[in-house]
Amino acid sequence: MAHTNYLFTSESVSEGHPDKVCDQISDAILDAFLENDIKLGIADDSKVNTRLGCETLTTTNKIVIAGEGRGQAPLFRKYGSHAVINREMITQIARNVVKDIGYDQDGFSYHGADVEVLLHGQSPDIAMGVDAKREKDGEQEGAGDQGMMFGFACTESEVYEKSSFMPAPIYFAHKILKVLADHRRSGKLFDLQPDAKSQVTVQYVNGNPIGCTKVVVSTQHNAESRNGQKYTPGMVKELIADAVASALPEGWMPKDAVDFLVNPTGNFVVGGPDGDCGLTGRKIIVDTYGGYAPHGGGAFSGKDPTKVDRSAAYAARYLAKNVVAAGIAERCTIQIAYAIGVADPMSLLVDTHGSGKVEEAKLEKALAEIFPLRPTNIRRKLALNKPIYRRTAAYGHFGRAPTSDGGFSWERTDLVDAIKNAVA
């Protein structure tokens, strides 16, 4: 029997959370590599030069950037017969990200932090498996690693947020923090600092979300207000209550004050990487569906589009969203699996959770024909060679509106007609 009346909780973290600082630095470096390819004219539709697997660690006034990559001058310099990374340029990219987020504190500052760059060239063994090979249907890159990727979409939040096709708990957890960040940046909530977390518990009745039973927000703040009064949790709660309520649908804010928790530890002055070590790729559930759908385990940030951990997860979301937008199912999960160096996926699974109007086997066949899931095709069709990645590294990779410069291309619903025709 289906479980139709229940509570589900998802969390989000802000752009100033230590792990998200790292994700944004890694993706800003990826954007710089891709932008450099464009400037040099080597990032056209037929090939991609950049290879990058970039990991970042942050702690008290320290940023460590490590990994492997391939690129051209000025990001790489010739040193004898070897290409070595331009550490000065990478250091400046990291500092610019930290400055933009808003960190200029004693324990973590864009100008005071020590930056260590340990990037090196890509392994030739990995490059050999990934670089494009001539096949019967043209040049095809092999998958950058083995693994499985999931995509998901559902209709449950459409009555509140059109075209998001996302689970309500994670969608509104992100939105709360985005509203608070916008107010902090505009000066409306000038006593807030960049680090923050949210957690939203949504009540479902007959499988539909109807409101929040609990909302938790932890947000870093100045020790004192501008009139010299020391902040208490009650003061912070009063400060942000209206902004939090504005991020939720009308009537969703918990009516009982005890169900809206703010800074439950009692104080949140020391935050960001000064308060907690950050690492790239440690918020994979925040990045995707808030635990509402499966996750293959691979992180996204700092990885170029030949790496299927990222690009195939985008493709799976793209297909799932188009299936739901076509009215073929109310919920759709798609799994894709790959072997390193092999272009064609090992498997494709479609699950409509009993909500589908078409047999899943028929959908699997149709989707594979409409959108071949080889890494080269994914990269080209979704135009993933562009510097569009840093913006994905906070407030979720999914449920965002596509942009005119190609950002969030996997959120388009331009396959709806093709899917309808294929399964008619």
Side-chain angles (χ1 to χ4, degrees):
M1 181 177 292
H3 192 26
T4 58
N5 299 327
Y6 56 93
L7 303 177
F8 194 90
T9 303
S10 293
E11 72 158 351
S12 180
V13 297
S14 73
E15 64 205 61
H17 184 279
D19 296 330
K20 282 288 141 199
V21 173
C22 295
D23 285 344
Q24 289 171 91
I25 290 173
S26 292
D27 270 343
I29 293 168
L30 173 60
D31 282 349
F33 272 64
L34 293 169
E35 190 170 13
N36 195 49
D37 283 356
I38 291 170
K39 288 178 180 176
L40 295 172
I42 53 176
D44 59 24
D45 184 57
S46 65
K47 59 187 175 181
V48 61
N49 180 67
T50 283
R51 296 284 188 272
L52 190 67
C54 179
E55 314 292 343
T56 303
L57 175 148
T58 57
T59 186
T60 302
N61 272 330
K62 181 75 174 182
I63 302 170
V64 180
I65 300 164
E68 61 288 327
R70 184 178 78 189
Q72 301 295 319
L75 284 160
F76 275 86
R77 293 169 169 166
K78 279 290 186 182
Y79 185 75
S81 61
H82 301 285
V84 297
I85 197 74
N86 186 330
R87 288 177 170 80
E88 292 78 11
M89 287 190 72
I90 299 299
T91 295
Q92 193 56 51
I93 291 168
R95 293 195 189 282
N96 290 343
V97 170
V98 174
K99 182 179 182 180
D100 180 63
I101 293 169
Y103 277 116
D104 188 13
Q105 303 168 358
D106 290 341
F108 194 70
S109 168
Y110 70 92
H111 58 82
D114 176 53
V115 182
E116 189 172 358
V117 179
L118 303 174
L119 283 170
H120 58 79
Q122 184 185 38
S123 160
D125 292 343
I126 293 176
M128 179 174 60
V130 176
D131 284 345
K133 303 177 182 67
R134 174 64 62 180
E135 296 185 3
K136 65 180 186 300
D137 48 2
E139 293 286 334
Q140 293 294 332
E141 297 148 358
D145 202 351
Q146 71 174 45
M148 63 280 191
M149 300 84 212
F150 289 90
F152 179 77
C154 60
T155 60
E156 68 175 45
S157 61
E158 287 306 285
V159 67
Y160 306 107
E161 299 288 335
K162 281 292 182 185
S163 301
S164 74
F165 294 98
M166 287 290 285
I170 187 64
Y171 186 87
F172 291 111
H174 286 322
K175 192 173 180 182
I176 286 170
L177 294 182
K178 186 64 170 63
V179 168
L180 290 178
D182 290 344
H183 286 359
R184 171 179 63 85
R185 289 175 174 275
S186 71
K188 189 174 181 179
L189 293 175
F190 50 76
D191 278 336
L192 298 187
Q193 291 293 323
D195 195 359
K197 300 177 78 172
S198 67
Q199 186 170 284
V200 173
T201 300
V202 173
Q203 182 178 13
Y204 287 78
V205 175
N206 295 324
N208 297 310
I210 64 166
C212 296
T213 62
K214 301 279 185 183
V215 173
V216 184
V217 177
S218 296
T219 180
Q220 187 186 15
H221 56 86
N222 294 334
E224 296 179 346
S225 66
R226 294 200 174 181
N227 62 13
Q229 189 174 6
K230 185 176 180 180
Y231 267 110
T232 65
M235 291 170 61
V236 177
K237 184 175 184 177
E238 184 178 355
L239 181 71
I240 69 170
D242 288 345
V244 172
S246 74
L248 298 172
E250 186 176 353
W252 274 43
M253 189 71 173
K255 295 178 174 57
D256 195 327
V258 299
D259 294 326
F260 175 39
L261 287 75
V262 176
N263 289 1
T265 64
N267 204 38
F268 194 177
V269 174
V270 178
D274 187 30
D276 191 13
C277 180
L279 289 168
T280 298
R282 202 160 57 174
K283 286 292 177 283
I284 58 175
I285 300 302
V286 170
D287 283 344
T288 53
Y289 308 102
Y292 205 86
H295 195 295
F300 299 157
S301 291
K303 295 178 179 178
D304 74 79
T306 68
K307 294 174 173 58
V308 286
D309 276 347
R310 181 170 220 158
S311 57
Y314 291 170
R317 161 65 177 177
Y318 180 51
L319 292 179
K321 184 172 182 178
N322 276 270
V323 167
V324 174
I328 291 170
E330 294 180 1
R331 299 176 69 203
C332 182
T333 299
I334 290 180
Q335 187 207 49
I336 314 168
Y338 292 88
I340 189 169
V342 180
D344 286 306
M346 301 291 102
S347 63
L348 168 64
L349 172 72
V350 177
D351 184 359
T352 56
H353 307 279
S355 71
K357 299 176 182 177
V358 174
E359 288 183 5
E360 286 147 337
K362 188 174 183 179
L363 264 177
E364 289 165 3
K365 184 175 185 295
L367 295 179
E369 292 174 354
I370 292 167
F371 190 79
L373 289 162
R374 303 183 191 96
T376 302
N377 187 64
I378 293 171
R379 178 175 58 77
R380 290 176 181 171
K381 296 296 186 181
L382 296 181
L384 299 180
N385 284 5
K386 299 177 180 179
I388 55 173
Y389 294 103
R390 188 200 152 183
R391 71 191 76 170
T392 69
Y395 311 115
H397 293 246
F398 307 127
R400 314 273 291 272
T403 57
S404 59
D405 65 351
F408 301 100
S409 59
W410 49 93
E411 292 296 311
R412 301 189 313 246
T413 53
D414 53 352
L415 295 183
V416 164
D417 290 340
I419 293 172
K420 285 180 178 179
N421 292 334
V423 301

